[in-house]
Amino acid sequence: MTDKKPRRKERVPMPEQEPKVRATNFEEVPLGYTPEMAIEEAERCVQCKVPSCVCGCPVNVHIPAFIKLVAEGKFAEATRKIKETNALPAICGRVCPQEVQCEEQCVFHKMGRPIAIGRLERFVADYERDNDLIEYPTLPEKNGKKVAIVGAGPSGLTAAGDLEQLGYEVTIFEAFHKPGGVLMYGIPEFRLPKDIVEKEVDYLVQMGVELKLNEIVGKTVTIDELLGERGYDAVFIGVGAGLPKFLGIPGENFGGVYSANEYLTRSNLMKAYLFPEYDTPLVRGKNVCVVGGGNVAMDAARTALRLGGNVSIVYRRAREQMPARQEEIHHAEEEGVKLCLLTNPVEILGDENNMVSGLKCIKMELGEPDESGRSRPIAIPDSEHVIVADLFINSIGAGANPLLTKSTPGLELNKWGYIEADEWGKTSKPGVWAGGDIVTGMATVIEAMGAGKNAAMDIHEKLMGVKKPDTSPEALPDDMECQLPPKRKEPTS
Ligand code: FAD
Ligand code: SF4
């Protein structure tokens, strides 16, 4: 007889700040597992022979292997196992939509209790960092080739890390004064603390990646100059899709109207939420309207709420069609954000000082499915009404910024202005690869990282003749159906 504890059935919940408390601060909402919680959760994993969870991960983290190490209490070893394929585990553990990736593929998903892979990933990465256990991989001899990476977002950082580990001299050119891309300027502190992003970027710098900040490629240097007089053998473009879209309704020029991109950049990157300690102006609305239904809208709404506003999210479709993660919608509602669903803005109203005073909207109902497969919202006649607002944040999406692409002859674009690239990131221009949001439209952190990885392998094959692994569906075991690379798409709102 053994007195071993029976395996727990349900997921170990993760403690988090109380909604009322967290609505007034910028500290992280979930508090993370303790070592005991992590072990208990890891012990639920049955170590499947054919681990379908790995299929759901765009960078193929060895999930059962790292979970086994967690169950044995070997936390630092578990992080190193993850880092074999993912250099940013503390970030991915926090912001990846695991519920539609690895956790959706877990054998326990159908029973409604998949292993909490993301929470475990976050726990081990935090444990390694907080206990000063970070180890750097031994790098091979330099191979004499140089690669330039444009953009220090997740796609560029991943390509840089992988190429550095393959012996390349890697330089990242980043337009902002801080690296991280959306991780730094878009996702708020209460979801992803910036010191964590800084430390994960520092891991790459310690490995040898060179970072050149305040370098706007297309303005301060062109791609052709990088490949020509600057002597780079290849360039990877990972500049994201940060150009805000506008609604095209009257009133968008009033004071107190922001794109989510500008609002979040001011708050996150330029620390407006710490005013006056940081000298960044930002309108603090009493009544705030955020238009949109994605993660960006949730981040903008929850930021405005923490800055003292009564916040309403105005979305033209129904709740089930909101593209944001369920967890984010749930957190926003718990904190006091109001959802105005099936509501569409038609005009921003202003006062005598040309500042926002309200939002004229109409009610919508759902009709037949449109090209995105979702029911088309149709305006209900005579349903105009006004929502009082002194701050308006437009979060209906973002597109490709033409600054770099316009200055790069020979680079083919699609009809939305995104770069045409194959699944390995190869573009129409010799020596140039691209990946992440600038190819797919706004997707996810892990998909951008997957694109950076693929491009690194392809660059290595091209420059050094080392064949990349066959990741086609045919090369997988018969009983393992993996996701194909992300499809090119126009972001929906
Ligand atoms: P980015 O992260 O956009 O990075 C591009 C970098 O390139 C930036 O640093 C930019 O300054 C730099 N750059 C641009 N032009 C130039 C130039 N000409 N020269 C030099 N540098 C340049 N995804 C998730 O998985 N989970 C989430 O919870 C989530 N939340 C999000 C919240 C917000 C507010 C936003 C905006 C996005 C969110 N996403 C989320 C999406 C995710 O962040 C992106 O898909 C991902 O960051 C794309 O990575 P990337 O490397 O392609 O580009
Ligand atoms: Fe563990 Fe689920 Fe992966 Fe199986 S599918 S190895 S149970 S995480």
Side-chain angles (χ1 to χ4, degrees), residues 18-285:
E18 285 297 321
K20 270 200 184 136
V21 176
R22 68 183 195 239
T24 60
N25 68 49
F26 275 80
E27 279 149 39
E28 203 179 359
V29 171
L31 301 172
Y33 278 161
T34 60
E36 295 72 29
M37 289 171 177
I39 291 174
E40 193 176 8
E41 179 62 22
E43 283 174 344
R44 292 179 56 231
C45 171
V46 292
Q47 296 291 313
C48 303
K49 264 206 181 122
V50 183
S52 46
C53 51
V54 179
C55 276
C57 174
V59 297
N60 298 118
V61 166
H62 305 302
I63 293 168
F66 104 75
I67 294 182
K68 184 164 185 283
L69 289 164
V70 180
E72 291 165 358
K74 296 177 181 163
F75 305 138
E77 288 86 338
T79 320
R80 278 162 217 150
K81 181 51 74 184
I82 300 173
K83 282 187 175 169
E84 286 174 14
T85 52
N86 178 352
L88 311 173
I91 292 169
C92 290
R94 285 173 165 82
V95 301
C96 273
Q98 290 100 6
E99 67 280 5
V100 292
Q101 293 182 330
C102 53
E103 292 180 10
E104 190 181 44
Q105 304 289 327
C106 171
V107 287
F108 291 120
H109 180 261
K110 284 200 183 89
M111 295 163 233
R113 46 188 173 86
I115 306 300
I117 300 167
R119 293 175 183 176
L120 292 173
E121 183 180 29
R122 169 197 161 125
F123 166 76
V124 293
D126 288 357
Y127 183 90
E128 187 201 42
R129 189 188 60 251
D130 295 344
N131 293 285
D132 282 334
L133 296 170
I134 294 178
E135 275 184 9
Y136 298 95
T138 316
L139 299 181
E141 289 276 295
K142 288 282 176 220
N143 62 21
K145 305 273 184 202
K146 287 184 9 170
V147 182
I149 308 284
V150 187
S155 65
L157 292 171
T158 304
D162 283 15
L163 288 163
E164 189 71 35
Q165 292 194 59
L166 289 168
Y168 292 83
E169 204 178 297
V170 182
T171 308
I172 302 181
F173 295 82
E174 166 57 45
F176 274 140
H177 61 286
K178 288 205 169 186
V182 169
L183 307 173
M184 205 56 160
Y185 76 77
I187 303 180
E189 186 79 21
F190 54 83
R191 278 216 295 131
L192 180 61
K194 300 307 150 221
D195 65 323
I196 287 176
V197 181
E198 277 165 12
K199 286 194 178 121
E200 296 220 326
V201 173
D202 187 57
Y203 175 78
L204 299 174
V205 172
Q206 293 304 322
M207 253 170 36
V209 171
E210 187 191 6
L211 252 181
K212 283 188 188 282
L213 301 173
N214 301 310
E215 284 266 15
I216 306 175
V217 178
K219 254 197 160 162
T220 52
V221 59
T222 64
I223 299 280
D224 284 331
E225 282 165 0
L226 291 174
L227 288 169
E229 55 255 45
R230 298 276 193 110
Y232 288 94
D233 299 283
V235 175
F236 172 80
I237 304 176
V239 292
L243 189 74
K245 287 185 182 158
F246 291 92
L247 286 159
I249 58 174
E252 284 189 291
N253 289 331
F254 285 128
V257 174
Y258 285 95
S259 68
N261 194 298
E262 180 187 347
Y263 184 78
L264 290 169
T265 303
R266 280 176 182 267
S267 178
N268 297 325
L269 189 72
M270 327 228 348
K271 306 273 183 233
Y273 74 93
L274 294 175
F275 185 87
E277 195 185 324
Y278 284 77
D279 192 13
T280 306
L282 189 68
V283 173
R284 294 192 178 211

Side-chain angles (χ1 to χ4, degrees), residues 474-485:
E474 296 76 45
L476 295 164
D478 288 346
D479 40 3
M480 203 148 155
E481 266 183 45
C482 264
Q483 287 180 349
L484 293 169

